[in-house]
Amino acid sequence: GKRAFIAGVADDNGYGWAIAKSLAAAGAEILVGTWVPALNIFETSLRRGKFDESRVLPDGSLMEITKVYPLDAVFDNLEDVPEDVKANKRYAGSSKWTVQEVAESVKQDYGSIDILVHSLANGPEVTKPLLETSRKGYLAAISASSYSYVSLLKHFLPLMNPGRPSFFCGSSISLTYIASERIIPGYGGGMSSAKAALESDTRASVLAFEAGRKNRIRVNTISAGPLRSRAAKAIGF
Ligand code: ZID
């Protein structure tokens, strides 16, 4: 069977959860990366059976999440982490949540993966029109929503099982939104720009070219339709 790492699962409402279920139904082993501030409540809810109804697969069995890794995809390694974040109670409560450390932990635990899913985005100023967005807010959106994919791919690539020449096996995917190419009022804060970067890095085949060359890994992004996830509710959708 295949092993998948899905970054961006913190409840049972979002795309990450739904993708995890589809992959589990197809027989994949599921590892997830959960944003550090959401880790406690996610693990508690999981343990207490709060998601059991949502865990039911088409064959009646329950999806198993083999392991939940704390992750903050805006930090590549410990040197990137500012002191105030290190000292923050929720962050201090767990460890090894930078992208590099998570990849190292997954490697140590399982050796390799076949599928990498990026289902995360964050734009602190998403409710502000672009013209009212600060530099800090814009860069934060790009960091969490676009570069996070470059970083995840970079660090997980060495763990991804390569394909054979005409049979690509390793695969990675992210989720984007049409606001990258059309005006969607309300999708501000640089989020439209962040999705444009994510798509360009994928579509212009920069990542596909580099990842394909290096390790025969496919790189794709899906422009998602509306889903009432936690992230979508936060922008009043
Ligand atoms: P979600 O809240 O389930 O997933 C986002 C996850 O990212 C959460 O679990 C967060 O904890 C996590 N996260 C945030 N910051 C970090 C970080 N620094 N490190 C690690 N994890 C972090 O929401 P979701 O399922 O909507 O989002 C998953 C992906 O789908 C994101 O890339 C979205 O941009 C994308 N997407 C969603 C929708 C939608 O409707 N939900 C749409 C397009 C793309 C869409 O059609 N307005 C109307 C329609 C749409 C979007 C906006």
Side-chain angles (χ1 to χ4, degrees):
K2 307 253 188 248
R3 185 177 297 117
F5 181 85
I6 301 145
V9 179
D11 57 42
D12 59 348
N13 293 318
Y15 276 114
W17 179 272
I19 291 167
K21 268 180 82 174
S22 298
L23 290 171
E29 178 175 23
I30 305 300
L31 313 175
V32 304
T34 301
W35 196 27
V36 182
L39 181 73
N40 246 333
I41 182 152
F42 179 63
E43 284 195 307
T44 307
S45 304
L46 203 57
R47 205 171 42 240
R48 293 197 181 151
K50 208 189 140 212
F51 301 135
D52 281 1
E53 251 176 69
S54 317
R55 283 172 61 208
V56 180
L57 298 175
D59 72 356
S61 68
L62 295 189
M63 167 171 72
E64 288 300 332
I65 296 177
T66 308
K67 189 158 177 182
V68 178
Y69 293 85
L71 167 71
D72 195 320
V74 305
F75 303 117
D76 300 317
N77 50 53
L78 264 184
E79 290 97 82
D80 283 354
V81 185
E83 287 308 320
D84 61 318
V85 175
K86 273 184 195 153
N88 180 298
K89 241 171 60 192
R90 284 191 287 193
Y91 282 82
S94 50
S95 60
K96 296 191 177 172
W97 36 257
T98 67
V99 176
Q100 187 185 325
E101 292 170 299
V102 174
E104 280 166 6
S105 299
V106 171
K107 185 173 183 174
Q108 223 164 54
D109 294 343
Y110 301 100
S112 68
I113 63 165
D114 303 285
I115 299 161
L116 173 69
V117 180
H118 176 282
S119 181
L120 65 95
N122 203 359
E125 296 181 22
V126 66
T127 55
K128 291 188 191 164
L130 189 54
L131 274 176
E132 283 157 35
T133 299
S134 72
R135 183 182 300 268
K136 196 173 164 213
Y138 183 97
L139 293 177
I142 298 271
S143 173
S145 315
S146 319
Y147 188 77
S148 57
Y149 188 44
V150 177
S151 179
L152 275 166
L153 200 50
K154 169 182 169 166
H155 289 98
F156 275 85
L157 209 50
L159 282 68
M160 291 186 73
N161 289 324
R164 297 191 297 273
S166 55
F167 183 83
F168 283 70
C169 164
S171 181
S172 93
I173 195 151
S174 68
L175 288 136
T176 185
Y177 183 44
I178 192 142
S180 61
E181 45 181 310
R182 277 185 217 161
I183 302 155
I184 312 273
Y187 202 74
M191 278 307 298
S192 56
S193 329
K195 290 305 192 189
L198 182 70
E199 287 178 27
S200 176
D201 291 345
T202 306
R203 188 194 300 122
S205 283
V206 179
L207 291 176
F209 176 79
E210 293 180 9
R213 272 292 167 91
K214 254 197 171 138
N215 216 11
R216 297 200 169 278
I217 302 301
R218 285 180 292 170
V219 182
N220 286 295
T221 186
I222 294 181
S223 194
L227 174 72
R228 208 146 192 278
S229 64
R230 189 188 174 95
K233 281 183 206 157
I235 57 175
F237 163 70

